Structures are given as structure tokens and as C-alpha cells.
Amino acid sequence: MIAQIWRPVLVAFAVITLAMGAIACDDDDDPEVTGGGNTPAAGETPSGNGNGGEGGRILEQVRSRGELVCGVNDAVPGFGSVDAQGEFTGFDVDYCKAVAAAVLGDANAVQYVPLTAEARLTALQTGQVDVLIRNTTWTVSRDAQSGLAFTTTTFYDGQGIMVRTADGFSTIDDLASATVCVLQGTTTELNLADRLPTSTPLPFEENETLQAAFVEERCDAWTSDKSQLAARRSAYPADAGGPESLVILEETFSKEPLGPLTVDNDSQWFDIVNWTVIGTMLAEEFEITSETVEAAAGAPETIDIARLLGVPFEGEAAFDPGLGIDADFMQAVLAAVGNYGEIYERNITPIGIERDGTLNAQWTDGGLIYGPPFR
């Protein structure tokens, strides 16, 4: 009798144990994919969508909350950092504002959650943030195994190495036996092992502790995405030699396409974030800026501009793309943050990363910034 009563319980326990074991094996197989580490504690951020929320769920949560919770970096000038007034600023931060403007009509309705490289994917997987816009490389394993989805790439980056000018290193091959500082849980850590297998990696969870080690000359070189190296170089402390004491070596040895991430299985939320990004790219192609968007909406010159801005054109009704938000959402986005070129110019150009002639130029200028049709 006792055995009959407990048998279903024991079977259920066995199933749960096996399932937990499978999850643990996945984590061990690829810690880069599953994240982990310093995930923000429960209660620090509003509850989110859960892993793999149903379509439309996140949109309703954001609307109900009246605020977008956006996972960002707070230590990379130009992309995500905190200024002297305590405000989050940067290229990625502007895209958080763009999504908030698209969904809520208010670019300031954003709660920023700074996340380490280790913690970022877990924070999105567990619903602690609605969207992750923080220097994250699109890879097949992250796409296939993490339960997350990458939107259109906003910045095409590549990995490089920065060294002290006085040390005399001129090529990456010179560093074959060097000690190299690197952020753990990143694709850069994996790429370093491929490119310099005989070097000694010195991993850190955060950029601040990594930089301190580099200043103390505990490592010979610092590897990361070249955009991050340029950002850190631009703000390198004067008492450590300032920017001029560092050089970023010429070679780029990886592809690092960066862009926003959402959870899988909420296609409506993915589409909203993705088409907000695309809309900024199309606006630049159509030469619509934060200064001209109001006039363009009042008298659109082409049907493509009218569709992007959600206004009528020559007797035709305003185009609604069916995203579940206001048809004219791109007007709010562009008024708040401007088009792709404005966002780039405001945040990335000042840290010394030119756009002309790079992959981040518009497709009409030989780059890869290419917005699909808004129709």
C-alpha cells in the first residue's frame, strides 16, 4: 500500500532529477551560452517575461509597468556608461530609449540594469530584463542554445589587442608568449585561445578590475572588441599615461556583430525591437532626422517615407505594419534619438571610431547597414 502511494511521487522525483541534470550538463558544456555569475538579485528589477514567454506577453508587461527594463553595459564609453550627472549614455543606451519611445511613446521610461558579461544572458533568460542591448556578439551557439534571439545587427565589430606603446609590441604574433587580460564568459576569451593558443589568458569578470590589472602591468596586452578597446583607450587615466600611452594593433581577428537580444517565443516583442532598429536605419537612408521628422510626417515626399512614419500618402490610408503598437511609432523614435547616423555620430564618433569606409556605413556607401522594406 505504501509502495503504491509513493510510486508516483518517486517517478516524478526521478523525472525532475533527470531534467535538472540535463540542464546542469548544458551549463557545463558552454558557460558562455548560458551566462551565470553576478545575476541581479531577485527583487532588484521588476519581474519579467520568464524564459520563452508567449507572444505579446512582454509587450503587455512593459505597458502595464509603464517602463522598459533594459540590460546594458555601464563601463564602455560610447556604448553604455554612466556620465558625470549619473545618467546612462551611449549607443546601446539610445537604442533602449528608441524601444521605449516605440512602445510607450516616452524615451525616458527606461530602467537601466547594468550587467556583467557573465550575467547578461541569464538576466534576459530569467526575465529580469525585457531586452538586452549590451555589446553581445551574435553566434550560432547563442542563437540555437540560449533560448534568445538576436535582432538586426547595430554595430559590426571585430576583436583586437591593445598594448602599452612603450612595450614595443607591433603585431599580435609578438604576443605569442604574453599574458593577456580578457573578460571571462565572452567570445573574445574563446577567440584569444584560437588566435594566440600559447599565450596566457588572465580573465576578469568586469572591465574595471581588468583595467586595474593592466595598469599594474599584470598583463602585457588587453584583448576585446576593437570598439571597447577604443572606448577604454579614450578614457584611459592620465596618471597611467593617458590614451597616448596605448596603441591598438592593426589586426582584427574575429567577426563580432553586435545587436539587441530578446527571448525566443515572443515573436511580437522580437519584431517590435527589430523593426525599431531597422526603422532608424531606413530613416537615415531616407534622410529623415530628429530635426526633420515632424515636417516629413506632415508632408511625406515618398510612399516609403509615409509608410515608415505611419501617415497617409496621396489618398492612401496610413500604413500599419501590424506590430501591435501605434502605426506612427517611428515618429516618436526619431524625435527622441534620431536616425542611425545621428545615434552613431553622437556616441561612437567621439571615441575615435570613424564610420566612413567601414561595415557600419549605409549599404549605399559600401557598408552593411541595410534596412529591409517597411511595407
Side-chain angles (χ1 to χ4, degrees):
M1 181 68 177
I2 293 176
Q4 290 177 344
I5 293 173
W6 283 96
R7 183 176 296 117
V9 176
L10 293 172
V11 169
F13 178 78
V15 170
I16 293 171
T17 302
L18 287 171
M20 292 181 67
I23 293 170
C25 287
D26 284 347
D27 287 349
D28 290 341
D29 285 345
D30 191 349
E32 178 213 351
V33 169
T34 54
N38 294 335
T39 303
E44 288 185 353
T45 64
S47 60
N49 50 285
N51 192 2
E54 297 176 356
R57 187 175 176 183
I58 300 176
L59 173 61
E60 291 309 311
Q61 288 178 335
V62 172
R63 281 175 166 164
S64 176
R65 191 190 303 131
E67 187 177 60
L68 175 77
V69 182
C70 195
V72 297
N73 205 324
D74 64 351
V76 180
F79 287 86
S81 62
V82 180
D83 64 19
Q85 289 72 45
E87 301 292 330
F88 280 86
T89 183
F91 182 83
D92 291 338
V93 170
D94 274 358
Y95 272 106
C96 295
K97 294 179 180 178
V99 174
V103 174
L104 300 169
D106 182 359
N108 295 315
V110 184
Q111 179 186 344
Y112 300 102
V113 179
L115 297 167
T116 65
E118 283 276 357
R120 57 186 164 174
L121 300 187
T122 302
L124 184 58
Q125 290 164 331
T126 57
Q128 292 173 312
V129 297
D130 301 312
V131 61
L132 177 66
I133 311 182
R134 181 209 178 280
N135 308 79
T136 303
T137 302
W138 186 2
T139 70
V140 64
S141 57
R142 284 174 174 167
D143 212 352
Q145 301 175 31
S146 67
L148 306 176
F150 286 80
T151 69
T152 296
T153 296
T154 53
F155 189 84
Y156 291 92
D157 212 338
Q159 187 168 344
I161 285 186
M162 182 164 66
V163 296
R164 289 175 286 274
T165 307
D167 289 346
F169 297 113
S170 59
T171 71
I172 290 179
D173 289 332
D174 293 341
L175 297 162
S177 60
T179 298
V180 183
C181 284
V182 61
L183 280 181
Q184 66 187 32
T186 62
T187 54
T188 55
E189 188 177 21
L190 304 176
N191 296 332
L192 175 64
D194 290 342
R195 179 61 183 86
L196 285 175
T198 58
S199 67
T200 301
L202 186 58
F204 295 89
E205 187 172 329
E206 298 180 350
N207 268 314
E208 296 307 323
T209 50
L210 187 158
Q211 178 168 298
F214 187 74
V215 170
E216 295 168 0
E217 301 191 6
R218 293 170 55 195
C219 51
D220 304 299
W222 181 346
T223 188
S224 186
D225 295 349
K226 279 193 164 180
S227 64
Q228 291 202 38
L229 295 178
R232 302 299 299 195
R233 181 180 180 274
S234 69
Y236 201 61
D239 59 5
E244 298 306 317
S245 68
L246 305 177
V247 60
I248 299 172
L249 301 181
E250 182 177 355
E251 180 180 331
T252 300
F253 56 93
S254 75
K255 294 177 179 176
E256 306 291 338
L258 312 176
L261 289 84
T262 68
V263 291
D264 274 341
N265 301 324
D266 192 331
S267 60
Q268 183 184 27
W269 183 244
F270 173 88
D271 287 343
I272 289 170
V273 176
N274 192 40
W275 282 97
T276 297
V277 169
I278 291 170
T280 65
M281 297 175 177
L282 287 172
E284 183 186 35
E285 181 180 335
F286 299 157
E287 300 182 348
I288 304 170
T289 70
S290 55
E291 298 295 326
T292 65
V293 60
E294 183 175 355
E301 295 181 357
T302 69
I303 184 67
D304 289 331
I305 292 175
R307 287 171 178 149
L308 178 65
L309 301 180
V311 296
F313 184 77
E314 295 186 350
E316 291 189 17
F319 171 69
D320 185 346
L323 294 171
I325 56 178
D326 292 343
D328 60 356
F329 71 99
M330 279 307 303
Q331 292 186 46
V333 171
L334 297 173
V337 300
N339 65 36
Y340 180 89
E342 291 177 278
I343 297 170
Y344 191 105
E345 187 69 22
R346 181 168 56 245
N347 296 294
I348 300 181
T349 299
I351 62 172
I353 302 177
E354 297 296 332
R355 186 179 175 208
D356 291 345
T358 73
L359 298 178
N360 296 302
Q362 275 280 344
W363 66 281
T364 50
D365 296 324
L368 294 180
I369 300 303
Y370 179 97
F374 209 92
R375 64 177 303 160

Coordinates of all heavy atoms in Angstrom, one line a residue, residues 7 12 32 45 59 83 85 109 126 145 147 150-151 155 157 177 182 206 224 238 274 277 303 312 319 330 344 368:
R7 N 4.8 5.5 -5.2 CA 5.4 5.2 -6.5 C 5.3 6.5 -7.5 O 6.3 6.9 -8.1 CB 4.8 4.0 -7.2 CG 5.4 3.7 -8.6 CD 4.9 2.4 -9.2 NE 5.2 1.2 -8.4 CZ 4.3 0.5 -7.8 NH1 3.0 0.8 -7.9 NH2 4.6 -0.5 -7.0
A12 N 7.9 11.0 -10.3 CA 8.0 12.4 -10.6 C 9.3 12.9 -10.1 O 10.0 13.7 -10.8 CB 6.9 13.1 -9.8
E32 N 29.6 30.1 -21.7 CA 29.4 31.4 -22.4 C 28.0 31.6 -22.8 O 27.4 32.6 -22.8 CB 30.3 31.4 -23.6 CG 30.2 32.7 -24.4 CD 30.4 32.4 -25.9 OE1 30.8 31.3 -26.2 OE2 30.1 33.3 -26.7
T45 N 14.9 44.1 -9.8 CA 14.2 44.5 -11.0 C 12.8 44.0 -11.0 O 12.5 43.0 -10.4 CB 15.0 44.1 -12.3 OG1 14.9 42.7 -12.4 CG2 16.4 44.5 -12.3
L59 N 5.2 42.7 -24.3 CA 4.6 44.0 -24.6 C 3.6 44.4 -23.6 O 3.6 45.5 -23.1 CB 4.0 43.9 -26.0 CG 3.2 45.2 -26.4 CD1 4.1 46.4 -26.5 CD2 2.5 44.9 -27.8
D83 N 27.4 58.9 -17.0 CA 28.1 60.2 -17.1 C 28.3 60.9 -15.8 O 27.8 60.3 -14.7 CB 27.5 61.1 -18.2 CG 26.1 61.5 -17.8 OD1 25.7 61.4 -16.6 OD2 25.3 62.0 -18.6
Q85 N 26.7 63.2 -14.5 CA 25.5 63.5 -13.9 C 24.7 62.3 -13.4 O 23.6 62.4 -12.9 CB 24.6 64.3 -14.8 CG 25.0 65.7 -15.1 CD 26.3 65.8 -16.0 OE1 26.4 65.1 -17.0 NE2 27.2 66.6 -15.6
A109 N 11.2 56.5 -20.3 CA 10.6 55.5 -19.5 C 11.4 54.2 -19.5 O 10.9 53.1 -20.0 CB 9.1 55.2 -20.0
T126 N 15.9 34.8 -17.6 CA 15.1 34.7 -16.5 C 14.1 35.8 -16.3 O 13.4 35.9 -15.4 CB 15.9 34.7 -15.2 OG1 16.8 35.8 -15.1 CG2 16.8 33.4 -15.2
Q145 N 21.1 27.7 -28.7 CA 21.0 27.0 -27.4 C 20.6 27.9 -26.2 O 20.3 27.3 -25.2 CB 22.4 26.5 -27.1 CG 23.0 25.5 -28.1 CD 24.4 25.1 -27.8 OE1 24.8 25.0 -26.6 NE2 25.2 24.8 -28.8
G147 N 18.0 30.1 -26.0 CA 16.6 30.5 -25.8 C 16.4 32.0 -26.1 O 15.4 32.6 -25.7
F150 N 18.6 37.1 -31.6 CA 19.3 38.3 -32.0 C 18.5 39.1 -33.0 O 18.1 38.5 -34.0 CB 20.7 38.0 -32.6 CG 21.7 37.6 -31.5 CD1 21.7 36.3 -31.0 CD2 22.6 38.5 -31.0 CE1 22.6 35.8 -30.1 CE2 23.5 38.1 -30.0 CZ 23.5 36.7 -29.6
T151 N 18.4 40.4 -32.8 CA 17.7 41.2 -33.8 C 18.8 41.7 -34.8 O 19.9 41.2 -34.8 CB 17.1 42.5 -33.2 OG1 18.1 43.3 -32.7 CG2 16.2 42.1 -32.1
F155 N 25.9 47.1 -34.8 CA 27.3 47.5 -34.9 C 28.2 46.3 -35.3 O 28.2 45.3 -34.6 CB 27.8 48.1 -33.6 CG 29.2 48.8 -33.7 CD1 29.3 50.1 -34.1 CD2 30.3 48.1 -33.4 CE1 30.6 50.7 -34.3 CE2 31.6 48.6 -33.5 CZ 31.7 49.9 -33.9
D157 N 31.6 44.7 -35.4 CA 32.8 44.9 -34.6 C 33.8 43.8 -34.9 O 33.4 42.8 -35.7 CB 32.5 44.9 -33.1 CG 33.5 45.8 -32.3 OD1 34.6 46.1 -32.8 OD2 33.1 46.3 -31.2
S177 N 53.8 34.5 -26.4 CA 54.1 34.0 -25.1 C 53.7 35.0 -24.0 O 54.1 34.9 -22.8 CB 55.5 33.7 -24.9 OG 56.4 34.8 -25.1
V182 N 41.6 39.6 -20.3 CA 40.4 39.4 -21.1 C 39.2 39.2 -20.2 O 39.3 38.8 -19.1 CB 40.6 38.1 -22.0 CG1 40.8 36.8 -21.1 CG2 39.4 37.9 -22.9
E206 N 34.8 41.9 -14.8 CA 34.4 43.3 -15.1 C 35.6 44.1 -15.7 O 36.8 43.8 -15.4 CB 34.0 44.0 -13.8 CG 32.7 43.3 -13.2 CD 32.3 44.0 -12.0 OE1 33.0 44.9 -11.5 OE2 31.2 43.7 -11.5
S224 N 39.8 42.6 -26.6 CA 38.4 42.8 -26.6 C 37.9 43.2 -28.0 O 38.7 43.2 -28.9 CB 38.0 43.9 -25.5 OG 36.6 44.0 -25.4
A238 N 44.9 59.6 -16.9 CA 46.1 60.4 -17.2 C 47.3 59.9 -16.3 O 48.5 59.9 -16.8 CB 45.9 61.9 -17.0
N274 N 13.2 44.6 -33.3 CA 13.9 44.5 -34.5 C 13.5 45.6 -35.5 O 14.4 46.3 -36.1 CB 13.6 43.2 -35.2 CG 14.5 42.8 -36.3 OD1 15.7 43.1 -36.3 ND2 14.0 42.3 -37.4
V277 N 14.9 49.1 -34.6 CA 16.3 49.2 -35.1 C 16.3 49.5 -36.6 O 16.9 50.4 -37.1 CB 17.1 47.9 -34.8 CG1 18.4 48.0 -35.5 CG2 17.3 47.8 -33.3
I303 N 6.2 57.5 -50.8 CA 5.3 56.5 -50.2 C 6.1 55.7 -49.1 O 5.6 55.3 -48.1 CB 4.7 55.5 -51.2 CG1 3.8 54.5 -50.5 CG2 5.8 54.8 -52.0 CD1 2.5 55.2 -49.9
P312 N -0.7 59.0 -43.9 CA -1.3 58.8 -45.2 C -0.4 59.4 -46.3 O 0.4 60.3 -46.1 CB -2.7 59.5 -45.1 CG -2.9 59.7 -43.7 CD -1.6 59.8 -43.0
F319 N -0.2 53.5 -43.3 CA 0.3 52.1 -43.3 C 0.5 51.7 -41.8 O 1.1 52.4 -41.1 CB 1.6 52.0 -44.1 CG 2.2 50.6 -43.9 CD1 1.7 49.5 -44.5 CD2 3.5 50.5 -43.3 CE1 2.3 48.2 -44.4 CE2 4.1 49.2 -43.1 CZ 3.5 48.1 -43.7
M330 N 7.5 55.2 -35.3 CA 8.8 55.7 -35.7 C 8.9 57.2 -35.6 O 10.0 57.7 -35.4 CB 9.1 55.3 -37.1 CG 9.6 53.8 -37.2 SD 11.0 53.4 -36.1 CE 12.2 54.6 -36.6
Y344 N 24.9 57.1 -34.1 CA 26.4 56.8 -34.3 C 27.2 58.0 -34.0 O 28.2 58.0 -33.3 CB 26.6 56.2 -35.7 CG 28.0 55.6 -35.9 CD1 28.1 54.2 -35.9 CD2 29.1 56.4 -36.0 CE1 29.4 53.6 -36.1 CE2 30.4 55.8 -36.1 CZ 30.5 54.4 -36.2 OH 31.7 53.8 -36.4
L368 N 27.2 47.7 -44.5 CA 26.2 46.6 -44.2 C 25.0 47.1 -43.5 O 24.1 46.3 -43.2 CB 26.9 45.5 -43.4 CG 28.0 44.7 -44.1 CD1 28.5 43.6 -43.1 CD2 27.5 44.1 -45.4

